[in-house]
Amino acid sequence: KGKRKGAKKINNKIASNLRIILETLQPNWPDFLPSYEVVQTSTNDYFLLMDHYEKEEYIRLDKLIESSDSSDLTKVIELLINIEKRIDECRISHGDISPTNIMVHKDTFDFKLLDLNTLYVQGCFPHDESGHKGMYGQDGLPCIPSIYAHKFPLRSLRLSMELMKSMIDHGQAKKGIDCFSPSADEEYILESGKLRDYFFDYDGKRLDEHTDELKSKFPDVDENTIRKQLSSLSITEIYNLDSWGY
């Protein structure tokens, strides 16, 4: 309590991964990752001790989205782009990306990733996280390699923010909470089945179909924006196939 740490019991596989990450990322620790330590007790139980963030300084992303107007959602979209960029730069991934696992500083808009169970760098055991409905698809997308696991949920959330912003801009809502509640409804605006189908749309035949469907639901949103965001969710855009030698 004196150090304001949060404690969470973890299994030995997660403990091994977190120790690998500590060794790999030092001395250049990413500023968006909370500092932590892994503790093993005399009974061979493992605990993760992680920095605690005060509510006076930070707000959870889902709560920020719910209270946001159009201009604030523009900042959220920019934040999501920056999160993907920073994660890629550090060559790490996070298998449980959701608005409830991202803390945002109220003044600087700096972000912190929480729930480090599925944090990943090369050399870790692949994580078992199957994802959230509406982000990975109803049954999860286990074929996403761990190093890419953050991309699909961040991009699908960006698309939801674009659609939400359009609703507010055209008088259909005033705040994010009027559109949907990301803390209570992880389906978001898009149905999980549609996202899952689109990810496996290898030949791109469903791009027009999904674009038309979203355009009919949100007639005021820019069609090129919808198409661009949907294109970013395809399997060939998620994977960096060039780095695999294909």
Side-chain angles (χ1 to χ4, degrees):
K1 290 183 179 179
K3 294 183 179 180
R4 299 297 289 165
K5 296 280 186 178
K8 182 176 183 178
K9 190 174 183 178
I10 55 178
N11 62 42
N12 59 349
K13 175 182 171 181
I14 294 172
S16 296
N17 277 351
L18 291 175
R19 285 172 172 168
I20 291 171
I21 290 165
L22 281 174
E23 295 174 0
T24 302
L25 298 183
Q26 300 292 356
N28 299 314
W29 191 256
D31 56 9
F32 57 84
L33 290 183
S35 61
Y36 66 82
E37 57 183 313
V38 179
V39 176
Q40 184 177 6
T41 68
S42 59
T43 57
N44 287 327
D45 291 322
Y46 293 92
F47 285 86
L48 168 65
L49 302 182
M50 189 178 70
D51 279 349
H52 175 85
Y53 295 104
E54 300 291 348
K55 292 183 178 179
E56 292 77 12
E57 298 180 16
Y58 286 86
I59 182 172
R60 223 167 57 183
L61 180 56
D62 60 312
K63 299 301 182 183
L64 176 62
I65 292 172
E66 290 173 357
S67 63
S68 291
D69 58 16
S70 179
S71 61
D72 292 331
L73 286 177
T74 298
K75 295 179 182 178
V76 170
I77 292 170
E78 294 172 353
L79 172 64
L80 294 172
I81 294 172
N82 185 48
I83 291 174
E84 181 177 347
K85 177 184 176 182
R86 293 288 291 120
I87 291 177
D88 288 347
E89 287 175 346
C90 296
R91 299 185 64 81
I92 64 176
S93 191
H94 189 295
D96 194 10
I97 290 288
S98 77
T100 57
N101 284 338
I102 300 173
M103 297 292 287
V104 182
H105 195 281
K106 294 178 180 178
D107 295 328
T108 65
F109 237 57
D110 291 333
F111 71 94
K112 303 287 185 180
L113 296 183
L114 304 185
D115 198 0
L116 304 185
N117 285 15
T118 59
L119 201 60
Y120 181 88
V121 299
Q122 292 288 4
C124 284
F125 297 101
H127 60 73
D128 300 321
E129 176 64 42
S130 61
H132 290 270
K133 293 180 179 180
M135 303 190 83
Y136 292 93
Q138 185 71 35
D139 302 316
L141 293 172
C143 67
I144 295 183
S146 295
I147 199 65
Y148 299 119
H150 60 286
K151 290 182 173 292
F152 194 88
L154 284 171
R155 294 178 184 186
S156 63
L157 184 57
R158 276 169 53 190
L159 175 55
S160 292
M161 296 300 98
E162 293 281 4
L163 299 176
M164 179 186 290
K165 185 176 182 299
S166 177
M167 292 175 67
I168 296 175
D169 287 343
H170 293 89
Q172 297 169 288
K174 292 184 178 180
K175 298 282 186 178
I177 189 62
D178 301 327
C179 304
F180 68 95
S181 173
S183 58
D185 180 12
E186 289 187 338
E187 288 286 342
Y188 306 123
I189 293 176
L190 298 177
E191 295 180 2
S192 61
K194 293 297 182 183
L195 287 178
R196 180 179 172 84
D197 289 345
Y198 192 78
F199 178 80
F200 289 112
D201 184 24
Y202 302 102
D203 55 9
K205 290 182 179 179
R206 299 205 176 190
L207 177 59
D208 291 336
E209 173 190 334
H210 287 194
T211 300
D212 291 343
E213 181 176 340
L214 285 175
K215 185 63 179 175
S216 66
K217 290 182 179 179
F218 305 93
D220 296 317
V221 72
D222 178 64
E223 183 173 333
N224 289 331
T225 298
I226 294 177
R227 182 175 292 273
K228 181 179 179 180
Q229 292 297 329
L230 282 176
S231 297
S232 76
L233 297 176
S234 67
I235 190 171
T236 54
E237 291 298 319
I238 295 293
Y239 294 172
N240 181 8
L241 297 176
D242 290 338
S243 69
W244 294 2
Y246 292 117

